[in-house]
Amino acid sequence: MNHFHYKNGELYAEDVPIGRLAGKVGTPFYCYSTATLVRHFEVLRDALSGLDATICFAVKANSNLAVIRTLADLGAGADVVSEGELRRALAAGVPARRIVFSGVGKTRRELEFALDQDILQINVESDAELEELSQLAAAKGRRAAIAVRVNPDVDANTHAKITTGRKENKFGIEWTRAHQVLRWAGTLPGIEVTGVAVHIGSQLTELHPFREAFRRVRDLVLMLKADGLAIRRIDLGGGLGVPYDSSDEVPPLPADYAAVIRDTLGDLGCALVVEPGRLLVGNAGILVSRVIRVKEGATRTFVVCDAAMNDLVRPAMYDAHHDILPINEAPPDAELLPVDVVGPVCESGDTFARQRSLPGLTKGDLIAFATAGAYGATMSSAYNSRLLVPEVMVKGSAFAVVRARPTYEDMLALESLPRWLHQPAE
Ligand code: LLP
C-alpha cells in the first residue's frame, strides 16, 4: 500500500501532482510520501504489538534526515553501520538509547565515537572486534553493551549479493561457536553482554528462512540461559521483502512475519529489536525522470531518460525490477509496446528495463520508477559527473525539498590541482 496514485489522469504523491514537483525542482528527483512511511511503520508496529520490540530503522536504506526524523517521531530507533549514519541518526533526533550499531568493519574511531554517544548496543561480528572494543571501553572506564551477531548458516533464498547468513558470507560469528564466544565475552573487562543479533539477508520473500534462523537463535539463548549468562535482548535484523513487481510478487505480510517471531522467540522473556529498512521506506519513494528522446535501434526501441544507473543502481547491480509508471496515465485501451528504458550513462548496464511493455512514450514525457525509496538515493553516485539528484518529501498537499540538487560548482569544489599542475595547460 502506498500513497502514489492517479487522480484525473495524473500521478500524485498524496495530494501533490508529480508534474508540479517536476516543474519546481527539475528532473530527475526522488519523491517520498510521508503518509506511506507512517503507514508502513504503523503496520509493523501493530503486527509486533504485545511483544517488547523496538523498531530500529536501517538507515542504510534511506538516510535522508527528513525520512529518519519522520520515523523517529513515530518512535523508531535506528540501525546504523558507520559513523556517518550514526551522526545522521543523532542529527535527525533519534535518541542514542534507541540506536544499534551493526557492521563487520567498524573502525577504532567509529567504536570510540559510538561509546562516547552511549548508544543502546554495538553488534559485534568477530572475536577481534570484541577484544578491541573491550580495550577501548575499559580505557574509558566503561563497559560496552554488546550483542554478538551470529551467522546461523541459513539460506535466505534471495539475491546472492544481499544474502548474509550463510557460513561463506563475511558476517557474524558461526552459530556453532557463538556460545563459546559469548561466554568469553562475558569475562572481558570492557564488555557487557546484553544479547544476540542475527540478520540473514535482504528482500526475503519467504518466511521459512526467518523461522529457521530464529529457531537457531532460540536454541542458543536457551543454552546461554542454562549456563547462567543473562541474555536480555535479541536483535532480529531486517530483511522482509517488499513487492517490486506489481504483476507477480507477494511477499509475506508483516503480521505473518511477526507471528514467526512470536512463535519462535515470544516466550523467552527477552526484549526484541528489529531492523527493517526496505519494508519501511521501499514503497514510500519513487524516482521521477523525464524522457530525453526515443531512439529506434536495429532490433528494439530505446526510451532514453534523464535518470541513470548512478541515480538508481539496483537494476544494474541486482537485475532488480522496478515498475515504471507514466506520470500521465495512459488510457485503458492504450497499446502497450515493448521498449528498453535506459539512462544516458556510457555502459550497457545502464538499463532500467528490457523489453518492458509500456504505453507509447515520447520526448518530454515524465515517468516514475516505483519502489525506489529504499537503496535508491543512498546508493547513488556522481558517476559520469552527473549531479546527485534532489529528494523531495510530500505530506498531504505540502512538499519540501529535503536534499537540494548540488551545483556544478559544488561538484568541483572538493577537488584541487597539485602544485606541479598549476601552470596552465599548453
Ligand atoms: N540490518 C542489517 C545488519 C543489514 O545489513 C541490513 C541490510 C538491514 C538490517 C536492513 O535490511 P532490509 O530490511 O532493508 O532488507 N542494497 C541492497 C540491499 C542491501 C541490504 C544490506 N543490509 C538492495 O538494494 O537490494
Side-chain angles (χ1 to χ4, degrees):
M1 221 311 251
N2 64 61
H3 292 261
F4 298 100
H5 50 87
Y6 288 105
K7 214 186 308 187
N8 306 325
E10 186 180 353
L11 191 70
Y12 275 61
E14 305 189 22
D15 300 325
V16 180
I18 299 295
R20 190 163 135 229
L21 293 178
K24 290 261 186 206
V25 299
T27 53
F29 67 95
Y30 278 96
C31 175
Y32 306 131
S33 150
T34 301
T36 313
L37 285 173
V38 172
R39 183 187 149 78
H40 289 176
F41 182 86
E42 288 179 349
V43 165
L44 181 62
R45 186 194 59 198
D46 294 351
L48 295 168
S49 71
L51 292 164
D52 175 11
T54 305
I55 300 174
C56 288
F57 168 55
V59 168
K60 64 171 78 66
N62 190 315
S63 59
N64 189 285
L65 292 180
V67 170
I68 305 173
R69 168 72 72 101
T70 301
L71 294 170
D73 280 351
L74 297 165
D79 163 51
V80 302
V81 292
S82 67
E83 181 175 337
E85 285 192 356
L86 176 47
R87 285 180 184 272
R88 279 181 180 276
L90 293 169
V94 180
R97 301 297 303 164
R98 263 193 251 146
I99 298 179
V100 171
F101 194 175
S102 307
V104 71
K106 305 174 206 79
T107 64
R108 183 189 175 91
R109 180 196 149 113
E110 287 180 318
L111 290 172
E112 285 201 289
F113 184 71
L115 281 170
D116 292 342
Q117 304 309 311
D118 200 20
I119 63 172
L120 181 68
Q121 115 189 350
I122 299 178
N123 290 349
V124 174
E125 301 223 9
S126 63
D127 305 34
E129 187 186 4
L130 259 176
E131 228 163 345
E132 186 168 357
L133 181 59
S134 175
Q135 279 165 13
L136 292 173
K140 290 176 189 284
R142 302 262 315 276
R143 293 176 78 200
I146 64 109
V148 163
R149 175 166 172 183
V150 300
N151 181 324
D153 193 23
V154 164
D155 187 352
N157 266 343
T158 184
H159 192 283
K161 286 184 185 161
I162 52 175
T163 194
T164 53
R166 301 302 308 270
K167 60 176 181 295
E168 56 273 27
N169 301 138
K170 67 181 173 182
F171 299 98
I173 289 175
E174 310 90 272
W175 70 289
T176 45
R177 272 188 67 234
H179 184 198
Q180 176 199 334
V181 173
L182 276 150
R183 283 185 52 179
W184 169 65
T187 67
L188 294 173
I191 296 294
E192 182 201 351
V193 175
T194 62
V196 176
V198 71
H199 170 78
I200 57 172
S202 196
Q203 185 54 16
L204 270 70
T205 51
E206 298 161 309
L207 288 174
H208 67 86
F210 285 119
R211 187 180 288 278
E212 219 174 306
F214 297 168
R215 275 202 190 126
R216 290 194 165 170
V217 169
R218 173 191 181 80
D219 291 347
L220 176 64
V221 170
L222 288 175
M223 230 165 23
L224 291 163
K225 283 195 167 179
D227 239 17
L229 207 80
I231 294 297
R232 298 204 306 269
R233 198 154 45 230
I234 307 174
D235 179 340
L236 305 175
L240 190 57
V242 302
Y244 278 97
D245 188 344
S246 56
S247 59
D248 79 340
E249 244 176 349
V250 194
L253 296 172
D256 298 331
Y257 168 73
V260 171
I261 298 177
R262 236 179 234 109
D263 265 15
T264 50
L265 303 164
D267 62 340
L268 292 180
C270 294
L272 302 173
V273 169
V274 287
E275 302 171 349
R278 196 185 314 263
L279 182 70
L280 298 180
V281 295
N283 274 313
I286 60 174
L287 172 64
V288 181
S289 175
R290 197 178 286 282
V291 175
I292 299 174
R293 63 182 60 88
V294 177
K295 171 177 168 175
E296 293 302 335
T299 58
R300 50 182 73 190
T301 303
F302 297 98
V303 173
V304 188
C305 63
D306 65 2
M309 64 187 285
N310 68 297
D311 305 312
L312 176 64
V313 77
R314 303 194 68 260
M317 191 146 173
Y318 314 109
D319 295 314
H321 173 103
H322 287 263
D323 281 347
I324 298 176
L325 310 171
I327 301 303
N328 289 316
E329 192 175 19
D333 57 350
E335 192 188 356
L336 301 181
L337 298 167
V339 293
D340 282 17
V341 179
V342 302
V345 161
C346 304
E347 321 198 0
S348 298
D350 185 22
T351 298
F352 289 111
R354 293 192 166 81
Q355 297 301 284
R356 183 78 58 88
S357 290
L358 289 174
L361 288 166
T362 53
K363 179 183 169 84
D365 284 350
L366 288 169
I367 55 174
F369 297 95
T371 321
Y375 307 107
T378 48
M379 294 182 78
S380 62
S381 77
Y383 184 40
N384 276 208
S385 288
R386 292 163 48 83
L387 297 176
L388 289 179
V389 305
E391 296 172 278
V392 176
M393 182 171 263
V394 169
K395 182 172 199 273
S397 57
F399 69 87
V401 176
V402 292
R403 187 179 74 187
R405 194 188 306 279
T407 64
Y408 287 107
E409 288 71 29
D410 294 335
M411 187 181 80
L412 294 172
L414 286 175
E415 292 172 43
S416 55
L417 294 174
R419 83 189 131 63
W420 61 87
L421 289 177
H422 273 191
Q423 298 86 351
E426 304 228 327

